[in-house]
Amino acid sequence: MQLYNTLSAQERAALIDQAGEERLTMSFYTYAHIENPHLFRDQLFLSWNPLNVLGRIYVAKEGINAQLSVPAPTFEAFKKHLDSVDFLRGIRLNIAVEQDNKSFLKLTIKVRHKIVADGLEDDRFDVTNKGVHLNAEAFNSLTNQEDTIVVDMRNHYESEIGHFEGAITPDVDTFRESLPIIEKDLAAHKTDKKLVMYCTGGIRCEKASAYFKHKGFKQVYQLEGGIIEYARQVKEKGLENKFIGKNFVFDERRSETISEDVIASCHQCGSPCDTHINCANEACHLLFIQCPSCAEKFDNCCSTDCATIIALPEEKQRALRKGKHNSNKIFKKGRAHHLKTLNQS
């Protein structure tokens, strides 16, 4: 009985090409009580693997957080399976703004302590006492009011390439860092301002809105479905688009274009650019923004040192990597000490 992915990314990409089928990239989440996450995880894999579902899914006792792609011909079978699970029946699927058949190249389902790492002790407050959900039209209306504060609940490398007009964008590496910072910075406005939050697909705001209500904020709102659903509604209903730039996504696409504005800069030369890459040196793999000119100059690497390493024979590169593992510093991006934009700040 196969319970784990057995193909490499390269093998899977070849199979996708051979199949010649369009795939749908989407995401969903829900907080629910899952008695046995490990058993539920295995059941999902056994149900989804035959349907050629690919993606990154986290399961915990508190619920599920899924980002995945499904072949268009098997979507109805996939949806039928979702509807067979009580707490997934009728769940909103956030369909990606931009589709890519190779957005995911593996089916990875992991059991975690939490579906989002928030660092919170959930038993200290009611996680179901959430903020008011806003659709795109209501979000636009509320954020036009002077007594509204808009807060981006994502990390610095996400908001760097795109965010809502006038939003507060905390300079943080992780979601858990942002919660106490926002509470402190907005402490004087717990009663006199409307706090409106947003994130990629809505999951971080589900927890954050309950947290801020617990901390005494009286008027708490959240963008339902996040940026992904907002962009869909704006396009479908012909609404004003208040999001500028790209929406960072955690798959092979790395981003979706919401507006044509380029608000970020190449981390090496400072020219306008909002294209993320991972350093071609597998021993580094730093995630950063690189323009075409620097990509050519540094051979798709973040530094001359890394460019020198990838010029070595593969056997020597593997020897240099042996026993070493990438740390979370790969997400430092513009904060990496050797990148030009940091040194100029």
Side-chain angles (χ1 to χ4, degrees):
M1 182 169 58
Q2 183 185 340
L3 290 172
Y4 296 90
N5 177 78
T6 58
L7 297 177
S8 68
Q10 293 77 10
E11 290 171 326
R12 180 62 71 179
L15 288 178
I16 291 174
D17 287 337
Q18 291 171 19
E21 298 173 335
E22 292 300 314
R23 300 182 66 90
L24 300 173
T25 299
M26 65 192 73
S27 63
F28 69 86
Y29 70 88
T30 188
Y31 284 96
H33 179 66
I34 300 177
E35 187 67 30
N36 190 332
H38 290 276
L39 177 61
F40 182 61
R41 178 258 170 226
D42 291 349
Q43 291 172 341
L44 288 182
F45 193 94
L46 291 172
S47 297
W48 292 355
N49 191 49
L51 300 177
N52 289 321
V53 174
L54 303 174
R56 185 184 303 110
I57 298 93
Y58 297 136
V59 175
K61 285 194 171 185
E62 67 173 7
I64 180 173
N65 181 14
Q67 301 171 71
L68 45 82
S69 77
V70 184
T74 62
F75 174 76
E76 290 303 325
F78 171 72
K79 186 66 170 62
K80 184 177 180 181
H81 174 261
L82 291 182
D83 288 340
S84 71
V85 180
D86 286 345
F87 61 85
L88 296 180
R89 187 176 299 118
I91 194 167
R92 184 190 65 247
L93 301 177
N94 288 328
I95 307 299
V97 175
E98 297 177 343
Q99 293 294 333
D100 185 332
N101 287 344
K102 296 177 183 176
S103 57
F104 292 99
L105 296 173
K106 293 182 179 181
L107 176 57
T108 304
I109 309 178
K110 295 183 178 181
V111 175
R112 292 282 182 87
H113 177 60
K114 291 189 174 187
I115 55 176
V116 174
D118 51 37
L120 298 176
E121 296 296 334
D122 292 354
D123 57 354
R124 295 183 182 178
F125 66 98
D126 181 5
V127 295
T128 67
N129 185 25
K130 298 173 290 189
V132 178
H133 284 211
L134 302 172
N135 61 22
E137 189 172 6
F139 178 88
N140 281 357
S141 176
L142 198 63
T143 54
N144 281 334
Q145 299 177 19
E146 292 185 0
D147 62 344
T148 296
I149 299 175
V150 183
V151 180
D152 193 321
M153 296 307 301
R154 302 172 303 154
N155 305 326
H156 78 94
Y157 53 86
E158 298 172 83
S159 60
E160 181 178 14
I161 62 170
H163 53 75
F164 279 102
E165 298 171 357
I168 294 173
T169 56
D171 186 22
V172 296
D173 293 328
T174 64
F175 173 54
R176 70 176 66 191
E177 291 177 60
S178 67
L179 296 173
I181 291 174
I182 293 169
E183 182 193 357
K184 179 181 177 181
D185 290 349
L186 301 182
H189 301 294
K190 289 186 175 183
T191 60
D192 68 331
K193 298 286 186 181
K194 299 181 182 74
L195 175 60
V196 178
M197 296 174 293
Y198 70 88
C199 56
T200 307
I203 187 169
R204 281 174 274 191
C205 293
E206 290 285 303
K207 185 66 69 70
S209 65
Y211 172 80
F212 287 123
K213 289 183 72 174
H214 167 67
K215 288 295 184 176
F217 287 84
K218 301 303 182 183
Q219 302 178 79
V220 180
Y221 302 82
Q222 62 192 90
L223 179 59
E224 184 174 15
I227 301 163
I228 297 173
E229 178 63 11
Y230 175 87
R232 188 193 68 79
Q233 291 182 22
V234 163
K235 183 177 181 180
E236 183 181 89
K237 300 178 181 180
L239 303 175
E240 176 191 3
N241 176 28
K242 301 186 72 172
F243 189 93
I244 52 175
K246 288 182 175 179
N247 179 29
F248 186 96
V249 293
F250 293 88
D251 59 51
E252 297 295 328
R253 297 171 300 150
R254 298 193 180 95
S255 65
E256 298 177 321
T257 299
I258 308 299
S259 82
E260 296 303 320
D261 305 275
V262 178
I263 67 170
S265 302
C266 173
H267 287 157
Q268 290 172 310
C269 71
S271 64
C273 181
D274 54 10
T275 302
H276 284 99
I277 74 159
N278 287 101
C279 179
N281 175 16
E282 290 297 325
C284 173
H285 208 59
L286 181 76
L287 184 64
F288 69 109
I289 296 175
Q290 186 179 59
C291 70
S293 176
C294 287
E296 181 177 358
K297 178 180 178 181
F298 292 96
D299 205 6
N300 299 308
C301 291
C302 68
S303 66
T304 52
D305 288 343
C306 284
T308 299
I309 290 175
I310 69 164
L312 298 173
E314 181 58 33
E315 302 77 41
K316 288 190 175 182
Q317 291 186 51
R318 283 199 295 266
L320 289 172
R321 294 197 300 266
K322 189 174 181 180
K324 297 180 181 179
H325 301 280
N326 288 323
S327 70
N328 284 338
K329 290 182 179 179
I330 65 173
F331 296 111
K332 290 295 184 183
K333 295 177 56 175
R335 302 179 185 207
H337 67 85
H338 59 280
L339 292 177
K340 183 180 180 69
T341 50
L342 181 73
N343 296 331
Q344 287 180 336
S345 61

